[in-house]
Amino acid sequence: MNFRRPGRRRKVANLLTTLTLACYLVPALAIWPFPKKHFTGNSLMNAGSLGLSGDGRVVAFGDFDGDQLLDVLVLGSDQQTFSVHHWNHEDFVFQDSGSFKHPKKVYNVVPGDFTHSGKLDLLVMSQSQTNNQLDLTLYPSLPGDGFDTSNPLSLPPSTLPQPIPIDVDGDLKIDLLGITPTSTGSSDTIYQIWQNVWNASSSDSQLFKIQDAPFKGPQCAIANPHSNAVIDLDGDCLADLFLVCDDGRGGKTYQIWINSKDDGFFLSQSGPLPSGTQSISFADLNRDGTIDLIFPTCSSVSSTTGAGANCYINIAYNQQLPLCSSATDSGLRKGVRVCRTPDNLCIADPNFKFNLSDDPSNHAFVKFPVSSLFPSTSSLLVLDTTYSPALPIPLKLGDANLDGFPDFLAITVSGSDNVPNLVYSVPCAPGVVGCAKDGSGSRGWRLAQKGVESLQAVKDARSLSFVDMDEDGTLDILVQRSGKAGQGNFMFIQNNFYYDAFFLKAIVLNGACDNGWCYSPNGSEKYHPFGVSYSGATYKYTVLDTAGRRSAAQVGQLPQTSYHALQTPYTFFGLGRTNNYIENLFVGATLHTEEHYINMEGVIPNSKVVILPSTNEGEDWRRELFLRPGDWIPWVTVTVVVGMIILGIIVFVLHLNEKREDELERRRISHHINFDAL
């Protein structure tokens, strides 16, 4: 008789077990539910043109089909032909959905729901047969998809300074603010309002009615080009107005108009802008819950190349009520408010101010030469002369590394090369650009140099924009090129850096379709109005970092639309490192109601919030939150499953041991002799 040794038997059993697991594992890998990454590598990656081709340019972003994926509007090189490209998530490309031709040369395009239908229309500003005038045309959206190009609406014209969208009367319908050719020229009645009077059920197809703007104070001649913005500047979560004016002597001034709801706008501040001021951008640069200004100044600008010489970067910090240092602080000292509590951020500060004087004693204004950031050059591209008329190029702001502080994009000029650059916001320290020599200051700046080879390899950039491709929670970069290098006009840079931080995306809709669903006029189509954000929404939030320090931040929604501003309809803000929910998220709209904002507590990071305000006093706003699974979700799932299996095995083994002990105990009891019974 042959006897097999136990060790050999165990080896055979282990081999059979391994083969069995392999048989199950191979088909399991084939149905792995998590998609393969499009890009690998911890750097900025060249993603190519992503389906965009031709010699045109992207002129606007918008969710034209309401699927919560960002689409693009492309204008051809003839400055007349439009084409909408919808984002295809499965194929990771933009797909052309059709084109049409505007009869005149286009200067600017503003997507917006002007007809309050829950879909984006197109407001086109184009060349006029009359000098010093802009023709305005609206292409309404069609019930299915696309625009009604057969029946466009002709609107009252504007002067050359492009009008901006603004909600003047608090009904969440898009009005326009600008100057008409028939303005009287009086210092109190220069500004005109294109009042939105659209009524879809009326036989009158009039969209706008011209009237004097409800502004109380001396008005100025709006500059062309300008950096006008609709954004909250006094901290009450209600959008105010920043205007750039022409002083008539070759310089520029500014005006800040405060929104007082039904009482109109009143002039709060005005003053001169530094000599050589270019386009102004707006963001909470130092994360104190207030909106600041950042802009370049140049001693001269070439009309041929658009390059500014001897340029500086200027930052004007908003001096306003700070966040209270303690959650138990009431914010009041002898009846006077000195700070804002975390649960009451939307309190107006009538004493806010910007001090733009370049004085060493003025710590609220920072100025440093471009050459300190880019040692090889002191020139910035501030005008895109490949477009006619030339377009201003502002510093593009966005939180690229999710640390809660906005970074910026700029194009430097060296000889015939236009090179795009990413600049990070960093804490102040000795030797950091933008800080004092001793390292004091609010924030400093550092040029990104590691992993940015794909970005800096471009030598013919003409504009830059932040955009979140495929809604994956990182800010990527759209580089528009002049095509000199034969690489095409479009290039997307995938931000593939790993950041140990969180983000939040949010969008306030325009109040169309109160119940969250819209219906076409004939009732054949039902859809969500997810694509119809508007200028003027405000976000303020507080968050705790991993050390327990509380900070506040403010973000505006689509504050600028003129001169191809190319801002996304949603807001995107990094939260930094946190192990908690967002404590308070205040969302403000331009409603003229007693409470024009709401406070959302405990919002989950790495999500998108969609808010539909109600125009009815006292009625709750509709809120929806969409979670985005992170890249770590598959590994968390695997860890949980493996952990459950291990715990199950432990429980099963303990159960067998307990059962064996019970059996042994039963046997001992059965063999026990009761001597008392004998």
Side-chain angles (χ1 to χ4, degrees):
M1 181 179 292
N2 291 330
F3 293 92
R4 297 176 183 268
R5 286 184 293 182
R8 185 175 180 182
R9 186 180 303 163
R10 281 196 297 270
K11 289 181 180 178
V12 173
N14 290 339
L15 179 60
L16 291 174
T17 302
T18 302
L19 292 174
T20 303
L21 288 175
C23 292
Y24 283 102
L25 183 60
V26 172
L29 290 175
I31 60 172
W32 179 249
F34 304 104
K36 182 181 178 181
K37 280 191 172 185
H38 291 279
F39 302 96
T40 58
N42 191 31
S43 64
L44 297 182
M45 311 291 292
N46 183 355
S49 64
L50 297 182
L52 300 183
S53 60
D55 53 0
R57 66 185 299 125
V58 174
V59 292
F61 295 124
D63 182 5
F64 293 100
D65 53 0
D67 62 353
Q68 299 198 65
L69 298 173
L70 195 67
D71 311 313
V72 298
L73 180 68
V74 176
L75 180 64
S77 59
D78 60 357
Q79 291 190 220
Q80 291 181 261
T81 304
F82 290 108
S83 58
V84 176
H85 296 255
H86 292 155
W87 178 251
N88 186 311
H89 171 70
E90 286 73 22
D91 296 335
F92 205 76
V93 294
F94 288 102
Q95 293 183 333
D96 191 352
S97 65
S99 61
F100 67 94
K101 191 171 184 178
H102 188 70
K104 299 176 182 177
K105 185 178 179 180
V106 174
Y107 291 161
N108 191 42
V109 185
V110 179
D113 185 15
F114 293 88
T115 58
H116 223 58
S117 64
K119 286 193 173 184
L120 288 180
D121 312 309
L122 281 186
L123 174 65
V124 178
M125 305 177 189
S126 59
Q127 189 179 46
S128 174
Q129 294 180 351
T130 304
N131 292 332
N132 301 322
Q133 186 171 302
L134 286 177
D135 283 348
L136 305 182
T137 306
L138 186 86
Y139 291 97
S141 60
L142 290 173
D145 192 13
F147 306 98
D148 189 355
T149 58
S150 301
N151 302 289
L153 301 178
S154 295
L155 310 176
S158 162
T159 54
L160 289 181
Q162 296 177 7
I164 60 173
I166 183 174
D167 177 21
V168 173
D169 53 1
D171 60 357
L172 297 182
K173 293 182 179 179
I174 303 177
D175 312 309
L176 297 177
L177 171 70
I179 300 176
T180 65
T182 58
S183 295
T184 62
S186 169
S187 61
D188 294 330
T189 57
I190 298 176
Y191 305 153
Q192 299 287 295
I193 293 294
W194 284 252
Q195 181 74 39
N196 193 323
V197 294
W198 178 260
N199 187 350
S201 60
S202 173
S203 58
D204 183 9
S205 59
Q206 183 181 9
L207 177 63
F208 289 129
K209 178 182 178 181
I210 300 296
Q211 63 182 32
D212 291 340
F215 283 33
K216 301 175 182 178
Q219 301 174 14
C220 69
I222 297 177
N224 180 36
H226 58 69
S227 304
N228 297 348
V230 180
I231 194 166
D232 173 31
L233 296 173
D234 66 346
D236 61 354
C237 298
L238 183 64
D240 307 309
L241 191 63
F242 186 95
L243 297 181
V244 177
C245 309
D246 188 343
D247 65 2
R249 301 184 299 273
K252 295 179 180 179
T253 62
Y254 73 94
Q255 289 186 338
I256 296 177
W257 296 83
I258 298 302
N259 191 343
S260 56
K261 296 184 179 178
D262 290 336
D263 293 331
F265 291 74
F266 67 90
L267 183 61
S268 172
Q269 296 179 39
S270 62
L273 290 169
S275 176
T277 293
Q278 305 302 314
S279 295
I280 301 174
S281 303
F282 300 81
D284 185 358
L285 298 174
N286 55 353
R287 200 176 181 180
D288 65 348
T290 65
I291 295 296
D292 310 307
L293 316 178
I294 181 170
F295 55 93
T297 55
C298 302
S299 60
S300 63
V301 179
S302 170
S303 59
T304 303
T305 64
N310 193 27
C311 295
Y312 287 76
I313 292 177
N314 307 262
I315 301 172
Y317 290 105
N318 195 335
Q319 300 176 69
Q320 203 177 120
L321 286 173
L323 177 70
C324 296
S325 58
S326 171
T328 59
D329 192 343
S330 66
L332 298 174
R333 302 290 187 272
K334 297 181 180 180
V336 178
R337 182 163 297 280
V338 296
C339 62
R340 295 186 177 99
T341 58
D343 59 350
N344 200 4
L345 294 181
C346 294
I347 298 176
D349 181 4
N351 299 317
F352 84 99
K353 65 177 180 178
F354 291 98
N355 186 348
L356 276 68
S357 62
D358 184 15
D359 189 286
S361 62
N362 180 16
H363 301 295
F365 185 79
V366 175
K367 179 178 181 180
F368 55 89
V370 168
S371 57
S372 62
L373 267 178
F374 313 101
S376 60
T377 181
S378 63
S379 298
L380 288 178
L381 191 68
V382 295
L383 284 179
D384 178 7
T385 57
T386 65
Y387 193 85
S388 178
L391 294 173
I393 301 178
L395 300 176
K396 293 298 181 69
L397 299 171
D399 191 358
N401 56 3
L402 307 184
D403 64 349
F405 296 91
D407 314 303
F408 71 80
L409 295 169
I411 301 176
T412 55
V413 180
S414 178
S416 60
D417 293 340
N418 297 343
V419 181
N421 297 273
L422 172 62
V423 179
Y424 288 125
S425 174
V426 296
C428 266
V432 174
V433 176
C435 304
K437 292 182 179 180
D438 60 356
S440 62
S442 185
R443 295 290 291 181
W445 305 91
R446 176 176 56 82
L447 176 65
Q449 295 178 314
K450 184 178 180 181
V452 296
E453 292 79 11
S454 296
L455 183 65
Q456 294 185 340
V458 177
K459 305 300 181 184
D460 58 346
R462 58 176 175 172
S463 77
L464 301 170
S465 302
F466 278 116
V467 58
D468 181 11
M469 293 190 319
D470 204 40
E471 310 292 325
D472 63 356
T474 57
L475 280 185
D476 310 302
I477 302 170
L478 166 61
V479 183
Q480 303 210 61
R481 312 176 66 172
S482 61
K484 294 179 181 178
Q487 300 295 322
N489 283 26
F490 310 100
M491 178 181 180
F492 288 89
I493 301 292
Q494 169 77 23
N495 185 352
N496 214 48
F497 285 113
Y498 172 74
Y499 302 112
D500 186 15
F502 294 96
F503 72 93
L504 185 72
K505 296 179 74 170
I507 184 172
V508 175
L509 308 182
N510 67 342
C513 318
D514 292 337
N515 63 356
W517 285 98
C518 298
Y519 298 88
S520 58
N522 57 9
S524 61
E525 185 185 8
K526 178 182 178 182
Y527 54 91
H528 284 293
F530 283 145
V532 293
S533 67
Y534 75 106
S535 297
T538 300
Y539 306 90
K540 276 191 172 185
Y541 67 91
T542 56
V543 67
L544 294 172
D545 63 15
T546 53
R549 293 184 295 265
R550 179 181 289 104
S551 61
Q554 181 178 352
V555 188
Q557 177 173 290
L558 201 61
Q560 295 171 303
T561 57
S562 300
Y563 304 95
H564 300 195
L566 271 185
Q567 296 181 348
T568 56
Y570 54 77
T571 57
F572 182 102
F573 33 96
L575 303 174
R577 298 188 63 193
T578 178
N579 51 14
N580 207 341
Y581 298 115
I582 300 174
E583 288 186 307
N584 296 278
L585 174 63
F586 287 85
V587 182
T590 53
L591 293 168
H592 288 185
T593 56
E594 184 177 355
E595 291 291 337
H596 60 271
Y597 60 87
I598 58 172
N599 179 14
M600 301 173 63
E601 297 182 353
V603 177
I604 303 173
N606 281 20
S607 61
K608 180 178 181 179
V609 181
V610 178
I611 301 104
L612 181 65
S614 173
T615 56
N616 300 321
E617 185 77 48
E619 188 173 306
D620 290 339
W621 295 13
R622 184 182 180 89
R623 289 161 279 187
E624 297 185 35
L625 187 141
F626 299 87
L627 292 176
R628 179 198 169 272
D631 294 337
W632 38 265
I633 290 294
W635 307 115
V636 172
T637 304
V638 171
T639 303
V640 170
V641 171
V642 171
M644 293 293 291
I645 293 174
I646 293 174
L647 290 175
I649 293 174
I650 293 174
V651 170
F652 182 69
V653 170
L654 292 176
H655 172 72
L656 292 179
N657 286 339
E658 182 70 18
K659 189 175 181 180
R660 185 172 61 84
E661 291 292 335
D662 291 343
E663 180 65 20
L664 292 176
E665 182 68 20
R666 187 186 65 79
R667 290 180 179 180
R668 283 196 297 268
I669 293 175
S670 65
H671 288 85
H672 181 69
I673 299 176
N674 190 344
F675 291 98
D676 294 336
L678 296 177

